[in-house]
Amino acid sequence: MDIALVCNENILAPKAKKLREKWGFTALRSELFQLRLLPEYLALEQLDDNKQGLVFVDFASGAVAHRRKFGGGKGQSIAKAIGMKPGVTLHVIDATAGLGRDAFVLASLGCDVDMVERSPVAAALLEDGLERAYLDAEIGEWMQQRMRLTHASGYEYLQQHQADVVYLDPMFPHKKKSALVKKEMRVFQGVVGADLDADDLLDVALAAAKYRVVVKRPDYAPFLNDKKPSMSIKTKKNRFDVYVKKAIGS
Ligand SMILES: C[S@@+](CC[C@H](N)C(=O)[O-])C[C@H]1O[C@@H](n2cnc3c(N)ncnc32)[C@H](O)[C@@H]1O
């Protein structure tokens, strides 16, 4: 799908041009979705339904920042699934980084996170959010140290890199009209599509991980590649399926 990157401010035109060249976006208006470069951020919008609002990445304020401050720290299910332990800094590859929210939670809890994202739209939104967050007085310093983005196929990246833990959260078709599916996620899924090749990631992830692979799934989704995990940690809407290779720190 061709995605346009538009911008109404003359002063931003050179940056818009650079972003189009870097990510392969067009300058022509697209039909369903487009990226809009605003002075504050780069945003994705759905053109046939403006009620869906703008999707952009904001680590310094908004929902993810609130979760960092009040979200339960290392007691959160994701931290338990990853296997965080006092005194151990885990290196995590998030091979399906999306908008970087889960990676941000892990990095804010002390993990060193390499994010991999193959969709140019998601990667461009994530890079924009990272660039702004790196400059933030409160979170910039540790984000620069702990969160890096590579625009690549996770499948290929995992064949060339290793980590303590590999984290996977491929797109799974959401139940239609579920009130639980946030508007934002619907727009994002419309652009990125369903990750129909997600099953292929599990074996390469298992080969690349030293200690474990964690797969986030909606509660109604089957196991990735139909492979039964060592354990599952359930949350309200999701499940973390954990494939343990060996004990952390051993
Ligand atoms: C559900 S989203 C991930 C959301 C993310 N966990 C977050 O917290 O924002 C899935 C993302 O994985 C990406 N993806 C799926 N398969 C991939 C692969 N093989 N390599 C790289 N990215 C992949 C998709 O493009 C999509 O952006």
Side-chain angles (χ1 to χ4, degrees):
M1 183 191 321
D2 276 349
I3 298 280
L5 187 150
V6 300
C7 132
N8 294 336
E9 328 262 335
N10 283 344
I11 195 163
L12 295 175
K15 184 172 176 189
K17 185 167 176 273
K18 252 197 210 161
L19 288 172
R20 282 186 206 111
E21 283 164 7
K22 173 167 182 177
W23 300 106
F25 304 134
T26 67
L28 304 167
R29 203 180 143 84
S30 28
E31 271 178 30
L32 280 177
F33 299 97
Q34 73 180 11
L35 288 158
R36 179 175 292 281
L37 183 61
L38 297 163
E40 302 83 9
Y41 44 69
L42 177 68
L44 174 66
E45 62 185 335
Q46 184 167 342
L47 294 165
D48 60 349
D49 185 356
N50 56 14
K51 279 194 261 98
Q52 302 290 0
L54 296 175
V55 176
F56 60 95
V57 176
D58 182 10
F59 293 115
S61 54
V64 290
H66 186 269
R67 182 169 171 191
R68 177 174 70 84
K69 289 179 187 151
F70 309 108
K74 292 185 180 166
Q76 293 176 72
S77 303
I78 190 171
K80 291 186 189 150
I82 290 289
M84 297 191 74
K85 274 188 174 178
V88 181
T89 300
L90 291 172
H91 173 217
V92 179
I93 295 176
D94 178 348
T96 57
L99 298 181
R101 284 172 246 223
D102 293 331
F104 179 72
V105 172
L106 295 175
S108 69
L109 296 175
C111 295
D112 188 27
V113 189
D114 274 302
M115 301 179 287
V116 187
E117 174 53 55
R118 68 178 169 188
S119 149
V121 173
L125 291 170
L126 182 50
E127 185 180 80
D128 173 68
L130 279 175
E131 279 172 2
R132 279 178 286 107
Y134 284 164
L135 301 175
D136 186 83
E138 200 183 341
I139 62 173
E141 200 179 327
W142 63 257
M143 282 203 58
Q144 286 184 41
Q145 287 160 9
R146 295 188 218 147
M147 284 183 85
R148 296 163 296 271
L149 169 65
T150 303
H151 176 223
S153 141
Y155 184 78
E156 281 164 26
Y157 186 92
L158 288 169
Q159 289 174 330
Q160 289 148 19
H161 297 82
Q162 301 227 302
D164 295 324
V165 179
V166 175
Y167 182 80
L168 302 173
D169 174 20
M171 199 70 85
F172 189 82
H174 287 293
K175 283 179 185 164
K176 282 214 169 90
K177 294 204 175 143
S178 159
L180 296 174
V181 181
K182 289 197 186 124
K183 284 179 186 172
E184 212 178 55
M185 208 55 204
R186 273 185 240 150
V187 177
F188 187 58
Q189 186 173 293
V191 177
V192 171
D195 294 323
L196 299 173
D197 55 354
D199 283 344
D200 299 345
L201 282 171
L202 189 56
D203 281 346
V204 283
L206 281 164
K210 187 171 172 195
Y211 299 125
R212 59 175 63 183
V213 173
V214 176
V215 183
K216 183 174 171 186
R217 305 291 275 164
D219 53 7
Y220 53 87
F223 297 132
L224 195 60
N225 207 14
D226 285 327
K227 193 177 173 90
K228 198 169 178 291
S230 320
M231 61 176 168
S232 291
I233 297 176
K234 293 186 179 138
T235 66
K236 232 188 328 180
K237 294 173 276 182
N238 295 308
R239 217 176 57 225
F240 294 103
D241 293 335
V242 184
Y243 299 82
V244 175
K245 281 181 78 177
K246 62 176 176 176
I248 288 180
S250 62

